[in-house]
């Protein structure tokens, strides 16, 4: 599990406090928030730029998960974090999906792959993954659950639901990729 998810799992109280501070006081940088919270544990500074504090990791988790946004950057290129309501127009902010109501990862990856298939028409597994920069382990379950394999290369078939599948053995190693009509 990555650093952004780990900080939420291991320090949920800190993540909640960071979110509350950003909503109440933002936009602000991670350095300003660390100072306000007086929460900056000693850390290795030998690898400049990537030695994130827990507060910075919590901010990036909140940003990554769509719970906060960026209101721009400082002249030192520090991100200024802000509540969605401060950055997005009101009609857009009210449409944001709370984390508890978001689709499961496998459903989200499947939807992304279907969007990619619509955009490409027909493509290899790698073409579809690249559309949203998905890793193979994110995309393959979506592809395998979306349409049955086609046995002969270059042939087309329909699954009865209006979806067509095609196969390109050279790039997708015999895996089929969905084409939605």
């Amino acid at each position: 599990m990555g650093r952004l998810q780990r900080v939420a799992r291991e320090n949920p109280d800190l993540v909640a406090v960071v979110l509350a501070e950003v909503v109440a006081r933002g936009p602000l940088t991670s350095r300003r928030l660390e100072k306000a919270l007086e929460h900056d544990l000693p850390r290795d500074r030998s690898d400049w730029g990537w030695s994130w504090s827990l507060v910075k990791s919590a901010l990036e988790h909140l940003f990554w998960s769509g719970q906060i946004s960026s209101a721009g950057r400082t002249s030192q290129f520090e991100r200024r974090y802000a509540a969605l309501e401060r950055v997005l127009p009101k009609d857009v902010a009210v449409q944001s999906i709370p984390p508890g109501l978001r689709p499961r990862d496998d459903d989200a990856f499947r939807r992304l792959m279907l969007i990619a298939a619509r955009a490409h028409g027909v493509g290899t597994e790698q073409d579809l993954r690249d559309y949203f920069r998905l890793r193979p382990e994110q995309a393959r379950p979506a592809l395998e659950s979306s349409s049955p394999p086609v046995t002969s290369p270059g042939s087309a078939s329909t699954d009865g639901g209006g979806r067509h599948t095609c196969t390109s053995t050279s790039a997708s190693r015999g895996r089929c990729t969905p084409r939605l009509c």
Side-chain angles (χ1 to χ4, degrees):
M1 193 171 273
R3 176 189 341 195
L4 300 180
Q5 295 168 327
R6 189 178 316 119
V7 72
R9 188 184 71 240
E10 294 175 1
N11 301 285
D13 294 338
L14 176 64
V15 172
V17 168
V18 167
L19 177 59
E21 283 293 310
V22 169
V23 169
R25 301 179 45 187
L28 44 101
T29 65
S30 64
R31 187 168 30 142
R32 189 169 154 210
L33 184 57
E34 286 170 354
K35 192 173 185 176
L37 293 177
E38 297 178 357
H39 191 289
D40 188 16
L41 300 175
R43 61 184 185 266
D44 178 19
R45 294 184 184 270
S46 62
D47 192 14
W48 178 89
W50 297 109
S51 56
W52 287 359
S53 68
L54 283 175
V55 170
K56 171 68 173 175
S57 294
L59 283 165
E60 286 296 318
H61 166 75
L62 293 166
F63 179 73
W64 168 81
S65 64
Q67 297 178 63
I68 61 174
S69 188
S70 174
R73 293 193 178 263
T74 68
S75 58
Q76 292 82 28
F77 207 63
E78 294 173 287
R79 184 176 278 147
R80 294 173 54 239
Y81 300 92
L84 296 176
E85 302 80 35
R86 291 185 186 231
V87 178
L88 300 173
K90 288 183 191 242
D91 59 326
V92 174
V94 298
Q95 294 177 21
S96 66
I97 303 171
L101 299 177
R102 292 184 185 149
R104 293 187 338 255
D105 284 352
D106 57 335
D107 290 336
F109 292 137
R110 183 179 174 282
R111 290 179 191 176
L112 290 174
M113 292 302 289
L114 291 175
I115 291 168
R118 279 191 201 106
H120 275 283
V122 174
T124 65
E125 175 189 329
Q126 184 175 356
D127 293 333
L128 298 179
R129 279 193 295 110
D130 190 52
Y131 195 79
F132 287 108
R133 303 282 193 239
L134 298 177
R135 294 185 307 270
E137 62 271 16
Q138 295 170 321
R140 284 194 182 129
L143 287 175
E144 290 166 357
S145 70
S146 66
S147 56
V150 176
T151 55
S152 63
S155 67
S157 174
T158 182
D159 66 359
R163 289 186 308 203
H164 299 277
T165 58
C166 295
T167 254
S168 170
T169 56
S170 61
S172 67
R173 293 183 287 254
R175 291 192 184 274
C176 63
T177 55
R179 179 177 185 263
L180 305 178
C181 299

